[in-house]
Amino acid sequence: GGVGRQLGAEHSQRLESYFQAIPGVQLVACSTVANSKALLKSAIRSDNPVIFFEHVLLYNLKGETIEGYCQPLERAELVKEGKDVTILTYSRMRYTALQAVQELEKKGISAEVIDLISLKPFDMETISKSIKKTRKVVIVEECMKTGGIGASLSAVISESLFDELDHEVVRLSSQDVPTAYAYELEASTIVQSQNVVQRVEG
């Protein structure tokens, strides 16, 4: 799934939002070569129904895997430590967030990046620990803003960690429009690294 390069609305669906309302189903999104193999092995071995999401633009990634390793399905990954703001993301947006972090560091802002991996249920232990440290959170996703993963996560954070926040939860999501075929129009509908930098600074 996910937005490809000029594949139009027909082939640019964010399917994770379709399935999150189904009771009992676990949603997992891989983002690296290593975790794609390790998570898929765990999903196959799981007794629960697991929907495994791969982004179409991550298929060209190259990297190492750990032989025999099965990664826990319910655990988020702390990608980069920081102290000023928590960025929660998943799948291809992991790389968009990391690009933004490089720019933020030049401006003296230390951002912590967490790859959710488990989209249902959320790893609230890891998320809570980070938010209690930074007290600010930005959610970066490729899902649509209406009914997306970020909407659910924002609600959970606001309900359970409201007193830990010094700022409202910020959501950066794709626009609620069909994805255009034209490259410039397609790019304008999804989150770019400069959008993350601007919202963190703002």
Side-chain angles (χ1 to χ4, degrees):
V3 178
R5 287 195 169 91
Q6 294 182 267
L7 296 177
E10 296 83 1
H11 302 286
S12 300
Q13 303 301 323
R14 291 72 152 183
L15 300 174
E16 59 268 29
S17 62
Y18 294 15
F19 294 104
Q20 66 172 328
I22 301 175
V25 172
Q26 189 167 1
L27 308 183
V28 175
C30 64
S31 55
T32 69
V33 173
N35 71 29
S36 63
K37 179 180 179 181
L39 289 167
L40 184 58
K41 291 178 70 172
S42 296
I44 292 170
R45 288 163 171 75
S46 177
D47 292 329
N48 298 316
V50 179
I51 301 179
F52 190 85
F53 295 98
E54 302 170 326
H55 197 289
V56 64
L57 294 187
L58 297 182
Y59 286 144
N60 291 327
L61 284 180
K62 297 182 185 298
E64 299 295 324
T65 62
I66 303 173
E67 189 64 32
Y69 176 61
C70 295
Q71 185 167 331
L73 297 174
E74 299 83 8
R75 282 292 174 194
E77 177 187 347
L78 177 58
V79 180
K80 182 189 176 300
E81 290 195 36
K83 60 183 178 60
D84 296 325
V85 61
T86 297
I87 299 178
L88 303 175
T89 189
Y90 66 93
S91 191
R92 186 172 78 99
M93 284 291 122
R94 169 183 176 137
Y95 301 97
T96 299
L98 288 174
Q99 287 178 352
V101 166
Q102 291 180 346
E103 292 301 313
L104 290 168
E105 285 180 340
K106 297 175 184 177
K107 300 171 184 287
I109 299 173
S110 172
E112 183 151 293
V113 179
I114 293 176
D115 186 338
L116 296 172
I117 294 178
S118 179
L119 308 183
K120 183 186 176 185
F122 297 122
D123 177 7
M124 289 309 296
E125 180 180 344
T126 300
I127 293 169
S128 298
K129 183 178 179 181
S130 180
I131 290 176
K132 288 176 181 179
K133 176 172 66 173
T134 66
R135 306 190 71 83
K136 295 178 182 177
V137 60
V138 176
I139 300 171
V140 180
E141 64 172 345
E142 199 176 88
C143 245
M144 301 298 184
K145 193 158 192 175
T146 301
I149 297 296
S152 298
L153 181 56
S154 176
V156 173
I157 292 172
S158 296
E159 290 170 356
S160 61
L161 295 167
F162 182 81
D163 291 335
E164 303 294 341
L165 293 169
D166 288 340
H167 192 281
E168 71 270 14
V169 177
V170 175
R171 276 195 294 146
L172 290 173
S173 313
S174 293
Q175 296 184 35
D176 289 332
V177 295
T179 304
Y181 173 81
Y183 177 80
E184 292 80 4
L185 292 176
E186 179 187 64
S188 70
T189 65
I190 59 177
V191 180
Q192 306 294 334
S193 59
Q194 60 266 29
N195 302 135
V196 181
V197 172
Q198 290 168 0
R199 290 306 299 269
V200 169
E201 287 185 307

